[in-house]
């Protein structure tokens, strides 16, 4: 996995993926520290996942994959369905029984077929393989795949193209597709840039993996960030994370919700819980050093309307 793979992905995505804006958030940190957000909630399908999904399906198209089957809590499924629609490839998405309705509806709107299976990522992956074996078709994952990683890395390419002086990039971590792609691209273009991951404290398996030096699996995952409920990071992802990621920070559920409120009212951006996790680390004062120029990945904006209204409408007394 090299910068060239990410550049090839960027060429495939040209004119199809949105080059999302970097928006300065004034007054967040004291002194000469600028914080920008990269608004991937404005990406096609509402999350960065379109980048990896399209890059993967575009390469599969030549070898006639038949139906593409994938498992997803929602955003990857939407992205694969949308990519399939563009490329003329039929798609089946295995989703958790507790998936957000808006994400299920979106997969169907992009022409995808939805199958429900359990609430754990392991259960969904097993069901995807079962369908692939039974009906035929090609099963793809959502993060442990070089094509997915290269696609997600195009977000990192854009950050360094727009803002070459970036000192720190903060990225939410689920299976590790986004952070590993960004780390490959960003460190190749600017070796001094730091790439730091952020996880909910109820799903901090990547933090534990980085600390222990080997891939750790968490059996019990508990967080409102539905896009980050993976039990472990992928194999390929962990190889890259161990080599290129500088640190992984952890935030609480209250801090994620406070970040969603700040982003709604101060940044004017609708961000889902998973998408607000990296920003929560800045807002909660978790950075250990002074960085002149920080870019925070806001990874998605596909919210459940009822849950979102409740979080955003919560009156906070005192400081959160
Ligand atoms: C999938 C997802 C993530 C996590 O990405 P990984 O590549 O699995 O680490 C973060 N935020 C949102 C909104 C997502 O959909």
């Amino acid at each position: 996995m090299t910068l060239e793979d990410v550049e090839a992905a960027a060429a495939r995505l040209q004119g199809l993926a949105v080059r999302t804006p970097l928006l300065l958030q004034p007054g967040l940190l004291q002194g000469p520290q600028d914080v920008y957000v990269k608004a991937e909630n404005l990406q096609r399908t509402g999350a960065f996942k379109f980048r990896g999904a399209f890059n993967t399906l575009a390469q599969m198209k030549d070898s006639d994959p038949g139906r593409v089957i994938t498992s997803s809590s929602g955003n990857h499924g939407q992205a694969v369905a949308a990519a399939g629609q563009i490329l003329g490839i039929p798609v089946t998405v295995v989703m958790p029984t507790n998936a957000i309705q808006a994400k299920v509806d979106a997969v169907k709107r992009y022409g995808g077929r939805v199958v429900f299976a359990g609430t754990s990522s392991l259960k969904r992956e097993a069901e995807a393989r079962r369908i692939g074996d039974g009906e035929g078709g090609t099963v793809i994952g959502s993060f442990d795949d070089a094509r997915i990683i290269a696609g997600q890395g195009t977000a990192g390419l854009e950050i360094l193209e727009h803002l070459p002086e970036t000192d720190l990039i903060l990225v939410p971590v689920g299976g590790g597709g986004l952070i590993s792609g960004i780390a490959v691209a960003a460190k190749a273009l600017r070796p001094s840039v730091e790439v730091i991951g952020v996880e909910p404290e109820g799903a901090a398996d990547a933090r534990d993996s980085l600390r222990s030096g080997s891939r750790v699996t968490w059996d019990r995952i508990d967080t409102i960030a539905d896009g980050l409920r993976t039990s472990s990071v992928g194999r390929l992802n962990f190889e890259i994370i161990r080599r290129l990621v500088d640190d992984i920070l952890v935030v609480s559920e209250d801090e994620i919700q406070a970040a969603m409120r700040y982003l709604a009212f101060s940044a004017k951006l609708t961000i889902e819980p998973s998408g607000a996790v990296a920003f929560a680390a800045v807002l909660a004062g978790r950075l250990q050093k002074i960085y002149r120029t920080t870019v925070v990945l806001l990874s998605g904006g596909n919210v459940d309307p009822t849950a979102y209204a409740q979080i955003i409408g919560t009156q906070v007394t005192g400081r959160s």
Side-chain angles (χ1 to χ4, degrees), residues 46-49 73-76 103 142-143 148 152 172-179 227-228 230 237 272-275 298-302:
F48 71 91
K49 292 242 175 35
S73 63
N75 286 342
H76 171 69
K103 295 185 175 181
S142 65
F143 47 82
I148 300 267
Q152 320 304 32
V173 183
L178 181 61
I179 196 168
L228 307 179
T230 39
N237 310 92
E272 63 185 279
S274 305
L298 303 181
S299 49
N302 294 321

Side-chain angles (χ1 to χ4, degrees), residues 199-260:
E199 284 184 310
E201 60 191 19
D205 56 281
R207 189 248 344 242
D208 288 356
S209 301
L210 189 63
R211 281 190 186 165
S212 71
S214 66
R215 231 154 46 97
V216 171
T217 300
W218 274 34
D219 294 325
R220 272 187 49 82
I221 298 280
D222 186 16
T223 175
I224 53 164
D226 59 298
L228 307 179
R229 288 182 195 142
T230 39
S231 325
S232 68
V233 294
R235 278 172 215 285
L236 252 179
N237 310 92
F238 186 62
E239 275 177 34
I240 296 170
I241 290 170
R242 188 166 47 182
R243 196 157 45 84
L244 298 179
V245 169
D246 295 279
D247 197 3
I248 294 183
L249 306 173
V250 165
V251 293
S252 72
E253 299 290 291
D254 283 349
E255 288 164 350
I256 296 169
Q257 298 190 25
M260 290 170 70

Side-chain angles (χ1 to χ4, degrees), residues 24-90:
L24 179 64
Q25 303 301 312
L28 254 184
L29 298 175
Q30 288 185 345
Q33 301 185 78
D34 288 339
V35 177
Y36 293 79
V37 295
K38 183 156 176 70
E40 282 293 301
N41 57 311
L42 305 177
Q43 184 52 261
R44 195 162 182 160
T45 71
F48 71 91
K49 292 242 175 35
F50 181 74
R51 298 171 182 273
F54 187 85
N55 186 50
T56 304
L57 266 64
Q59 290 174 82
M60 293 171 78
K61 190 164 166 57
D62 305 328
S63 55
D64 193 13
R67 177 170 286 275
V68 169
I69 304 143
T70 195
S71 61
S72 167
S73 63
N75 286 342
H76 171 69
Q78 284 184 58
V80 173
Q85 193 171 53
I86 294 167
L87 293 161
I89 299 173

